[in-house]
Amino acid sequence: MDRQDALAPIRERFRLPADMIYLDGNSLGAMPQSVPDAVHEVVVDQWAAHLIKGWNDDGWMDLPHRVGSRIGELIGAPPESVAACDSTSINLFKLISGALRIQEEASRGAVILTDSGNFPSDLYILDSVGELRIVEPDEVLESITPDVAVVALTEVDYGTGRRHNMHAITEAAHAVGALVVWDLAHSAGAFPVDLAGVGADFAVGCGYKYLNGGPGAPGFVYIAPRHQSHFENPLKGWLGHAQPFDFSSEFRPAPGISRAIVGTPSVIGLTVMDSALTVFDHVSLEQIAAKSAKLTGLFMDLIRQRTDPEAFEILTPLIPEERGSQVSLRNSNAYPIVRALIERGVVGDFRAPDIARFGFAPLYVRYVDVWDAVTAIAEVIDSGEWNQPRFNQRFSVT
Ligand SMILES: *Cc1c(COP(=O)(O)O)cnc(C)c1O
């Protein structure tokens, strides 16, 4: 399968440890080979050499837009509708607040509909802004009633890998006059997203997962062009101002997506992202999605064939269109099992309370990695190797 894989050569665009099978690119993407030189350039050739002149001479101020445009191409966003800035959590706060303000003007109340599988940070943020209504993931569609102001969902469930039908949900929300905010944290870079095609209103996403922007990379925000002129950012900072260098004491929002920006761009972080995104050059998202479906499908098939059927419940949907690029296995000893696998060089992660999670970043995971990972999982289970006290001591980051 690797020999027939058109994406196989793309793995060369990454630096990966030789002795590791990395199945956690859904949590922290691998480092693209181009990044060290890009960091050296921005730090030594720009910052050290040009100092403050860099803002004009090196195009630093434009980075949120330049990086945003490149991300926009991966998520079906029209030009000038994506900015790279802040973290996913902060961006979600900005967009949810802005969406609710639009709905308040239309006297639609403040009910935010979400699902119980949403990422905790998203739930906390939503709860801090509006009146949260949480339903089961498979009850979302029927719960979109006329009293809902905003539907806020993460397309791919971080826990189970279950993927929502963006098109159907967006359509149902619009039919009752609700707005939709999509979180694409586990979507962008893993398969095609068609924001314009589904008519999405708003979206946020993460820079350090499948986009490989590095630890703590900036996230991104999308505002549909039709909403940009009336979107009100709750965090009114000078770089969301129409004329920041007028230093006016009154806030006047910038036109377009710029109003979603708050403060000074994180130049080093954005430079890393700008460079990291070149791994997507000349690669089709359809090819990426097809490989994602094959890697995850193969993993589930092999888990069923080669591990004790009692060991795991597969939580991830078997139908490719209904899942993201990860597979989640349930076992009450998931934590020590994941730790024992990491010691063998097979890196997945644990999500409380009982999920062993494996991400398959199609740009650098090989089919042979899937085979070898399942071999390791079967051995760890069959030998009882996981059952050692040292694997039960919890690290602060799981
Ligand atoms: C990874 C992730 C986040 C992370 O948010 P940060 O602000 O970058 O810490 C938020 N939401 C979802 C759904 C995620 O998967």
Side-chain angles (χ1 to χ4, degrees):
M1 290 175 87
D2 284 317
R3 231 174 277 135
Q4 286 161 14
D5 174 17
L7 291 181
I10 306 294
R11 182 178 161 89
E12 301 299 314
R13 298 184 185 178
F14 293 87
R15 188 179 299 178
L16 288 155
D19 54 354
M20 191 190 284
I21 294 176
Y22 191 60
L23 304 181
D24 216 355
N26 51 322
S27 203
L28 177 67
M31 192 194 73
Q33 298 275 15
S34 63
V35 165
D37 285 349
V39 172
H40 189 271
E41 188 185 346
V42 69
V43 170
V44 177
D45 302 341
Q46 297 183 0
W47 175 20
H50 303 158
L51 289 161
I52 194 86
K53 295 192 298 172
W55 289 109
N56 288 316
D57 295 356
D58 296 313
W60 292 346
M61 219 33 124
D62 192 43
L63 274 166
H65 297 286
R66 205 158 70 228
V67 174
S69 297
R70 187 66 186 96
I71 295 171
E73 292 168 18
L74 302 177
I75 55 176
E80 319 272 313
S81 60
V82 178
C85 55
D86 301 319
S87 73
T88 308
S89 305
I90 290 171
N91 287 331
L92 184 63
F93 174 79
K94 294 187 290 194
L95 293 192
I96 281 288
S97 305
L100 278 181
R101 265 176 220 195
I102 291 171
Q103 294 296 53
E104 269 162 32
E105 306 239 311
S107 304
R108 284 196 55 101
V111 172
I112 303 172
L113 179 72
T114 191
D115 73 58
S116 55
N118 206 345
F119 190 67
S121 190
D122 293 41
L123 294 175
Y124 309 151
I125 299 272
L126 300 178
D127 191 40
S128 74
V129 181
E131 213 178 293
L132 198 51
R133 187 176 294 168
I134 305 178
V135 300
E136 292 300 308
D138 58 4
E139 290 169 356
V140 166
L141 261 182
E142 69 206 57
S143 306
I144 302 175
T145 46
D147 59 331
V148 171
V150 178
V151 178
L153 296 166
T154 300
E155 186 187 12
V156 176
D157 186 313
Y158 79 102
T160 62
R162 178 192 210 284
R163 195 199 305 188
H164 276 304
N165 184 332
M166 270 182 79
H167 195 271
I169 289 173
T170 305
E171 208 169 67
H174 289 170
V176 300
L179 295 171
V180 190
V181 182
W182 285 104
D183 189 330
L184 304 176
H186 293 274
S187 311
F191 51 84
V193 176
D194 188 9
L195 286 175
V198 305
D201 299 290
F202 302 97
V204 298
C206 186
Y208 50 78
K209 293 171 180 161
Y210 295 102
L211 297 181
N212 311 304
F220 62 86
V221 345
Y222 164 79
I223 304 178
R226 65 182 178 280
H227 291 308
Q228 288 176 7
S229 63
H230 55 269
F231 171 78
E232 189 181 334
N233 190 337
L235 300 173
K236 295 176 177 59
W238 71 312
L239 288 180
H241 192 283
Q243 296 291 347
F245 289 88
D246 281 359
F247 295 101
S248 156
S249 52
E250 249 158 65
F251 184 81
R252 207 155 40 80
I257 190 68
S258 295
R259 67 177 57 191
I261 295 171
V262 181
T264 306
S266 170
V267 170
I268 298 169
L270 284 166
T271 300
V272 170
M273 277 212 66
D274 197 26
S275 170
L277 287 166
T278 61
V279 296
F280 289 96
D281 287 352
H282 314 297
V283 179
S284 93
L285 283 160
E286 283 69 23
Q287 267 181 321
I288 294 176
K291 185 173 175 189
S292 160
K294 279 167 88 174
L295 288 165
T296 48
L298 178 66
F299 182 77
M300 290 192 275
D301 286 348
L302 293 176
I303 285 288
R304 275 292 161 259
Q305 287 169 27
R306 300 180 61 209
T307 65
D308 176 354
E310 299 291 299
F312 296 109
E313 178 190 349
I314 297 179
L315 299 177
T316 303
L318 297 176
I319 299 171
E321 292 74 30
E322 294 179 2
R323 65 176 184 255
S325 207
Q326 69 174 69
V327 174
S328 298
L329 306 178
R330 174 177 278 158
N331 180 303
S332 55
N333 293 304
Y335 187 75
I337 291 169
V338 166
R339 285 283 305 281
L341 285 167
I342 291 173
E343 197 173 271
R344 280 173 169 253
V346 177
V347 179
D349 64 20
F350 165 78
R351 285 296 171 261
D354 54 9
I355 295 175
R357 193 174 70 152
F358 301 93
F360 299 85
L363 293 183
Y364 50 83
V365 174
R366 299 166 298 195
Y367 294 100
V368 67
D369 296 328
V370 174
W371 178 269
D372 290 344
V374 175
T375 303
I377 292 169
E379 285 175 11
V380 160
I381 296 290
D382 293 345
S383 65
E385 180 181 313
W386 58 271
N387 196 5
Q388 300 177 61
R390 72 178 193 285
F391 293 142
N392 256 316
Q393 284 158 6
R394 293 274 172 113
F395 289 141
S396 61
V397 175
T398 62

